[in-house]
């Protein structure tokens, strides 16, 4: 007997979960590629290896999320098809991660802002009602906790270092701050998934993110940029509208796979 | 720098001075491969302080899952024997086979050795 008073909330359309997995996967694919551009160019050997390690971690996470996205889509696309044979407008990464590397301080600031976001959102995603999603989040969370320790220590070192390192990382923070609101925007997809307990309520996570960022920024003797530095226009990545930088990044990332379709190595 | 409790911090601070050659200080890394196994020397690296050395050690010497525990020690804190000591230190041991247990025959009937 079913009680007429209990109306089960309809499950969110599968397309929403596909979109969520693309967001999670594309953030990591694009940022991982950006970090890989440092390979052989980092200030010292140890840091070169560290950045490459983080890049590989992110690439591994992207593989998991995009593989799952392909499964849910059910059109036979695997993680490689999604990574190498989509156009920029089909990418769902946030604008923060596609920004060019700049100097070392800029790369570290971008990484730190993302790493804190990753820890906060993955930690919440572990409680997803989708067991597969929760498992992927738990696996990625362990790596993200190390990443934020790495980028956080560098924020302290650069901010509380020389005048020049302080100035450079402060400049990076000021420049990147306008991309941070997008990390916590709840559009239709995010809001529906949150209602159904599939994904966390993003706007509710922002204070937690900001508290961690503020703590490190303070200890690094840096200044948290003012909210007026936010931009209402820079929130379009999840909808596929990207800066020109993503096109150049994808051209480099995708050329081998597109020149030699089906190649194995 | 770090707010984490860190027993090595005073040593790390001592070692944090930039070396005369402009490089960061050198640290020796010891990794433990399994519970109960000894920490063994894995190599050395440059880092600015103890936490930094630990992170670099993790990335350079433990990224393929080789370790479950890492020690880092400022190279400057290690006192080593010099090549000139080799004679007086080690040669006298060469002609004293009775310092090895194999030198002794076990008497018949002894058990539990």
């Amino acid at each position: 007997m079913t009680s007429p008073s209990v109306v089960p909330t309809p499950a969110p359309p599968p397309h929403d979960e596909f979109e969520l997995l693309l967001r999670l996967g594309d953030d990591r694919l694009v940022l991982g590629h950006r970090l890989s551009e440092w390979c052989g160019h980092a200030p010292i050997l140890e840091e070169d290896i560290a950045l490459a390690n983080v890049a590989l971690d992110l690439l591994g996470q992207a593989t998991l999320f995009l593989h799952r996205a392909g499964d849910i889509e059910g059109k036979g696309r695997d993680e490689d098809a999604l990574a190498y044979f989509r156009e920029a407008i089909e990418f769902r990464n946030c604008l923060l991660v596609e920004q060019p590397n700049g100097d070392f301080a800029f790369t570290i600031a971008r990484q730190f802002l993302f790493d804190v976001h990753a820890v906060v959102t993955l930690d919440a995603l572990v409680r997803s009602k989708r067991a597969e999603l929760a498992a992927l989040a738990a696996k990625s969370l362990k790596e993200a906790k190390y990443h934020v320790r790495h980028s956080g220590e560098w924020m302290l070192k650069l901010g509380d270092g020389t005048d020049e390192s302080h100035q450079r990382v402060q400049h990076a923070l000021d420049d990147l701050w306008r991309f941070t609101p997008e990390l916590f925007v709840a559009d239709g997809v995010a809001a529906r998934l949150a209602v159904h307990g599939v994904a966390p309520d993003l706007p509710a996570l922002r204070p937690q993110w900001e508290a961690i960022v503020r703590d490190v920024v303070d200890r690094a003797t840096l200044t948290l940029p003012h909210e007026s530095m936010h931009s209402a226009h820079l929130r379009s990545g999840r909808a596929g509208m990207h800066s020109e930088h993503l096109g150049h990044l994808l051209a480099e990332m995708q050329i081998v796979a597109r020149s030699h379709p089906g190649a194995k190595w | 720098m770090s707010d984490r409790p860190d027993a090595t911090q005073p040593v790390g601070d001592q070692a944090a001075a930039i070396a005369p050659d402009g490089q960061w200080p050198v640290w020796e890394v010891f990794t433990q491969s399994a519970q109960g196994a000894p920490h063994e020397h894995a190599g050395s690296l440059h880092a600015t302080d103890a936490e930094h050395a630990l992170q670099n050690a993790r990335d350079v010497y433990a990224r393929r899952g080789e370790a479950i525990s890492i020690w880092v020690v400022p190279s400057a804190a290690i006192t080593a024997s010099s090549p000139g000591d080799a004679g007086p230190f080690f040669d006298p041991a060469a002609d004293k086979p009775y310092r090895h247990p194999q030198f002794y025959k076990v008497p018949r009937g002894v058990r539990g050795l």
Side-chain angles (χ1 to χ4, degrees), chain B residues 9-98:
Chain B
Q9 202 57 56
V11 180
D13 283 349
Q14 282 168 24
I18 301 287
D21 61 358
Q23 293 276 357
W24 291 336
V26 179
W27 298 71
E28 301 300 326
V29 179
F30 299 82
T31 56
Q32 185 187 33
S33 58
Q35 204 78 45
H39 283 72
E40 289 176 351
H41 189 234
S44 56
L45 47 73
H46 292 99
T48 54
D49 56 47
E51 165 67 18
H52 193 203
L54 207 50
Q55 288 189 13
N56 284 347
R58 181 262 193 195
D59 283 324
V60 176
Y61 294 110
R63 68 201 166 114
R64 299 189 187 93
E66 300 97 324
I68 58 161
S69 167
I70 302 173
W71 291 348
V72 289
V73 180
S75 299
I78 291 179
T79 307
S81 63
S82 69
D85 293 335
F89 266 46
F90 309 119
D91 284 354
D95 59 354
K96 296 184 177 62
Y98 48 84

Side-chain angles (χ1 to χ4, degrees), chain A residues 26-57:
Chain A
D26 289 348
D27 278 355
R28 287 156 179 80
L29 178 62
V30 170
L31 186 57
H33 187 84
R34 276 284 181 240
L35 285 182
S36 77
E37 293 170 2
W38 274 103
C39 199
H41 301 279
I44 61 159
L45 176 67
E46 287 84 348
E47 188 55 28
D48 203 286
I49 296 174
L51 288 176
N53 277 343
V54 177
L56 281 172
D57 284 350

Side-chain angles (χ1 to χ4, degrees), chain A residues 31 35 47 50-51 54 104-119 143-159 169 173 212-213 216-217 219-220 222, chain B residues 4 51-52 55 59:
Chain A
L31 186 57
L35 285 182
E47 188 55 28
L51 288 176
V54 177
F104 184 68
F106 193 89
T107 291
I108 288 298
R110 182 187 64 197
Q111 194 63 34
F112 174 66
L113 295 173
F114 179 82
D115 288 342
V116 179
H117 164 261
V119 167
E143 294 176 340
K145 282 182 176 172
Y146 182 74
H147 298 166
V148 78
R149 184 166 166 178
H150 172 256
S151 57
E153 281 292 325
W154 270 115
M155 288 296 286
L156 297 179
K157 262 192 245 308
L158 295 175
V169 74
L173 206 54
I212 300 171
V213 170
V216 172
V217 163
R219 285 193 288 128
L222 295 164
Chain B
R4 272 178 281 279
E51 165 67 18
H52 193 203
Q55 288 189 13
D59 283 324

